Amino acid sequence: MSTDVAKAGNVTLTVWDQEVQGGQKAQIERLNAEFQRRYPNVKINRVARSFTDLQNTLRVALSGSNPPDVVQVNQGYATMVQFVKAGLLRPMNAYSEVYGWNKRFPKGLLDLNSVTRDGRSFGSGDLYGVSLNGEIVGIYYNKDKLSQLSIQPPKTWAEFEQALATAKGKGEIPLAFGNQEKLPALQMYGLIQDRFAGKQAVRNLVFGNGGAWTDGPSVQAA
């Protein structure tokens, strides 16, 4: 397999993604523009949809007579595994070898994009994608509000919990969470669940290797 894109001739790639928010949208547009400048023989036909719209329309698009070349697919049994089972995605093992994805990405991430061709096992088998980005989960604080409450920005978890208690004791709402798009709550739940249940128990649930979402630590996280 050649990695010389410039020798591929004139190519048009139809790419579906869900990067429609501010920073994510700007990032993907810049990457696409830079790629096309470097390889003027390639045109990227980008189709951007919200997460929900992508989930609702992708199966029909992939099973049609003119499917997109590259798609952003949600990992897991509900989406990626079902598409693999239906023969709607192509394995990317050859690309992984040529571009060294199997060395550049940790096994934990590769497992999340791996499915057996019969769709019976998630977390092993062929590689059907690579993770698009990494995320940092953080907490923003209001400097003026902390100053009014005589609270120093916390540096440890214990100090953070104490700051919340102090703010609440002075009649403030100590912590607010924006969840208009619904997805952030699921991601936040995952962080709390990992704290109570532990990494291995969470991975067993994700890959269907044991445990239940009704187990004590998972319920406690909720």
Side-chain angles (χ1 to χ4, degrees):
M1 179 183 292
S2 173
T3 59
D4 191 348
V5 179
K7 294 182 179 180
N10 293 327
V11 176
T12 297
L13 293 175
T14 299
V15 181
W16 283 35
D17 69 68
Q18 63 188 43
E19 308 306 314
V20 297
Q21 297 180 344
Q24 296 169 319
K25 179 176 181 289
Q27 177 193 55
I28 205 73
E29 288 178 345
R30 179 177 176 181
L31 286 171
N32 286 349
E34 290 180 355
F35 188 88
Q36 290 175 106
R37 278 196 296 269
R38 183 172 182 178
Y39 302 108
N41 59 307
V42 178
K43 177 184 177 183
I44 297 177
N45 176 28
R46 179 180 180 238
V47 177
R49 299 181 182 272
S50 69
F51 175 82
T52 301
D53 287 344
L54 193 69
Q55 296 299 305
N56 291 337
T57 59
L58 194 50
R59 175 178 283 275
V60 174
L62 288 174
S63 58
S65 58
N66 189 29
D69 301 291
V70 181
V71 296
Q72 191 173 351
V73 175
N74 205 34
Q75 301 158 327
Y77 281 101
T79 306
M80 178 180 279
V81 174
Q82 297 305 315
F83 287 169
V84 170
K85 190 173 182 179
L88 300 179
L89 299 178
R90 294 181 59 182
M92 304 182 71
N93 300 340
Y95 293 93
S96 179
E97 290 293 330
V98 170
Y99 291 103
W101 295 340
N102 54 339
K103 297 179 181 178
R104 295 167 57 190
F105 288 87
K107 184 177 183 300
L109 285 181
L110 294 174
D111 289 347
L112 289 169
N113 292 288
S114 298
V115 184
T116 56
R117 296 198 184 195
D118 58 9
R120 292 185 177 181
S121 180
F122 170 47
S124 62
D126 294 309
L127 186 69
Y128 284 91
V130 290
S131 298
L132 177 65
N133 54 23
E135 297 177 342
I136 297 176
V137 179
I139 298 171
Y140 294 90
Y141 63 89
N142 186 316
K143 291 182 179 180
D144 293 337
K145 182 67 69 174
L146 261 63
S147 178
Q148 293 169 14
L149 298 173
S150 300
I151 298 174
Q152 293 297 318
K155 297 180 180 179
T156 67
W157 189 260
E159 290 179 1
F160 174 64
E161 291 185 324
Q162 181 58 53
L164 296 180
T166 299
K168 185 176 181 180
K170 294 184 177 182
E172 298 286 348
I173 297 175
L175 190 64
F177 176 63
N179 191 44
Q180 182 176 356
E181 296 181 343
K182 309 304 179 186
L183 180 62
L186 181 60
Q187 295 173 329
M188 185 63 71
Y189 170 77
L191 293 174
I192 302 172
Q193 182 193 33
D194 185 71
R195 179 175 174 85
F196 285 125
K199 180 178 70 174
Q200 191 56 51
V202 173
R203 289 183 69 82
N204 287 343
L205 278 173
V206 169
F207 294 123
N209 293 327
W213 293 98
T214 53
D215 289 347
S218 295
V219 174
Q220 184 182 7

